Amino acid sequence: MGHLKLHIPGPVEVSEKTFRAFCQPMVGHRSQSYKDLVAKIQPQLQQLLATRRLVYLATSSAWGVMEGAIRNLVAKKVLNCMCGAFSDKWCDVARRCGKDAEALQVDWGSPIRAEAVDQKLATGQFDALTLIHNETSTGVMSPLAEIAALKKKYPDVMFIVDAVSSMTAVPIKFDELGIDVLLAGTQKAFALPPGFAVFTCSAAALARAATIRDRGYYFDFLEFQKNAEQNMTPSTPSIAHTYALSSKLDEFFAEGLEQRFARHRRTNQMTRDWAAKHGFTLFPETGSESLTLCCVNNGAKAGGRVVEVPKLQQLTKEQGFLIDGGYGKIKGKTFRISNMGDETEATMNQLLSALDQAMGQL
Ligand SMILES: *Cc1c(COP(=O)(O)O)cnc(C)c1O
């Protein structure tokens, strides 16, 4: 079978152009050429995240930095805001790192609300919290700005935010939010191959890290800062990813960030409209739907037509497209369609007509 176009919520489809950028000849990672490359992309990354802090490049999937943030910043106890598979897992990961961790669990489909976070932090037990901006497993986007506003009330709590499936698709202004860590893997909305992550830290986060023992080496935030000051990384990075990231950033700014955000809103709306046209409801609570993917109920909840998700996936696959069949405990009860990355009205129309046809064959 030929290539299946990826409309799963990560990894997403990578363009030919990005692959060509990825496949350039290697240079030494301590060479002037590499430093020049990082010096070129650093201001672009800072503009993307609206920050004056340095943005770091990590050669790992997002989880590397997610775990690293725990190791670098938690001394007392971490509050894990949990509303789906990835955010639930972060609590488990914190405990595996030997940290004291407490869950703020809400039902899957619900967002994390600032009031609930406030109540927990008011106990004074916590020196860090983890939050996933866009919970990819449930298609729920939590109100990041409202939650981040609590930082003013709890300045000693480290606010660690995963924006893996929202960064580059919706505006996230790091300095304005006042949070401490913002991270993303590159295989979601960046539309780069998997295996690379970008993140940034507040000065307070670096100060906290300096007080913490057993930070390890590979994800030591102080090492990242020290090396980034020289346009380098602590260890040999995926240089291919750095080339591809540079190419991608040029594309972002050629399109314009605002235009990029607006395009994601439009392509997401197209998916929502498609779901509504077929009588499907969305899994997230109304008002908390993601802008980068749709997590669609299979119909059972609405009491209407119920589709067998594996069949829908198979029929879609036969037309060359891969969609996701639901994650974890909502596998089969939901399916997910991504509009992240390079997708346009034209490419979404191709997918949605394939889905229409699949629906007709069910
Ligand atoms: C995909 C995803 C992750 C995990 O990323 P890896 O690259 O597999 O480490 C974490 N958080 C969110 C929100 C994700 O969508």
Side-chain angles (χ1 to χ4, degrees), residues 63-110:
W63 272 116
V65 182
M66 292 164 77
E67 177 170 321
I70 298 285
R71 289 183 176 274
N72 276 267
L73 301 177
V74 181
K76 211 159 69 176
K77 189 173 183 183
V78 59
L79 178 68
N80 302 109
C81 304
M82 292 156 55
C83 61
F86 293 105
S87 49
D88 291 4
K89 181 82 192 165
W90 216 344
C91 185
D92 174 44
V93 169
R95 288 178 179 147
R96 291 188 195 204
C97 292
K99 306 291 184 180
D100 200 1
E102 186 171 319
L104 192 185
Q105 178 85 65
V106 302
D107 290 340
W108 283 29
S110 296

Side-chain angles (χ1 to χ4, degrees), residues 5-6 8-22 48 164-169 184-196 241 243-249 251-252 255 260 263-264 338-343:
K5 167 106 192 272
L6 299 183
I8 54 175
V12 307
E13 190 70 9
V14 174
S15 71
E16 284 295 328
K17 184 179 175 190
T18 300
F19 271 125
R20 280 199 301 277
F22 195 84
L48 176 68
V164 174
S165 58
S166 55
M167 187 186 288
T168 86
T186 56
Q187 79 277 25
K188 306 269 169 96
F190 275 94
L192 289 169
F196 210 55
H241 275 96
Y243 290 140
L245 177 58
S246 172
S247 163
K248 213 75 219 177
L249 286 163
E251 282 180 28
F252 293 174
E255 180 180 12
R260 181 176 174 80
R263 174 166 58 77
H264 278 87
S338 165
N339 61 291
M340 278 177 234
D342 298 337
E343 303 309 332

Side-chain angles (χ1 to χ4, degrees), residues 208-282:
R208 167 71 63 82
T211 69
I212 304 246
R213 294 186 51 189
D214 304 326
R215 297 191 300 278
Y217 168 68
Y218 195 73
F219 290 108
D220 180 352
F221 286 4
L222 299 183
E223 289 285 348
F224 274 93
Q225 172 65 22
K226 195 174 79 188
N227 278 277
E229 286 168 8
Q230 312 289 324
N231 292 315
M232 290 193 293
T233 50
S235 52
T236 317
S238 171
I239 292 164
H241 275 96
T242 321
Y243 290 140
L245 177 58
S246 172
S247 163
K248 213 75 219 177
L249 286 163
D250 288 346
E251 282 180 28
F252 293 174
F253 289 103
E255 180 180 12
L257 291 182
E258 287 308 322
Q259 285 77 3
R260 181 176 174 80
F261 302 148
R263 174 166 58 77
H264 278 87
R265 284 197 299 274
R266 290 195 304 273
T267 52
N268 186 258
Q269 189 60 50
M270 288 172 74
T271 318
R272 293 187 197 191
D273 292 346
W274 175 87
K277 181 179 87 179
H278 288 279
F280 292 124
T281 54
L282 299 186

Side-chain angles (χ1 to χ4, degrees), residues 301-321:
K301 261 192 180 169
R305 179 177 174 197
V306 180
V307 292
E308 269 183 60
V309 170
K311 269 195 189 158
L312 176 65
Q313 279 180 290
Q314 181 56 34
L315 290 167
T316 312
K317 200 169 167 181
E318 283 162 16
Q319 298 176 75
F321 297 94

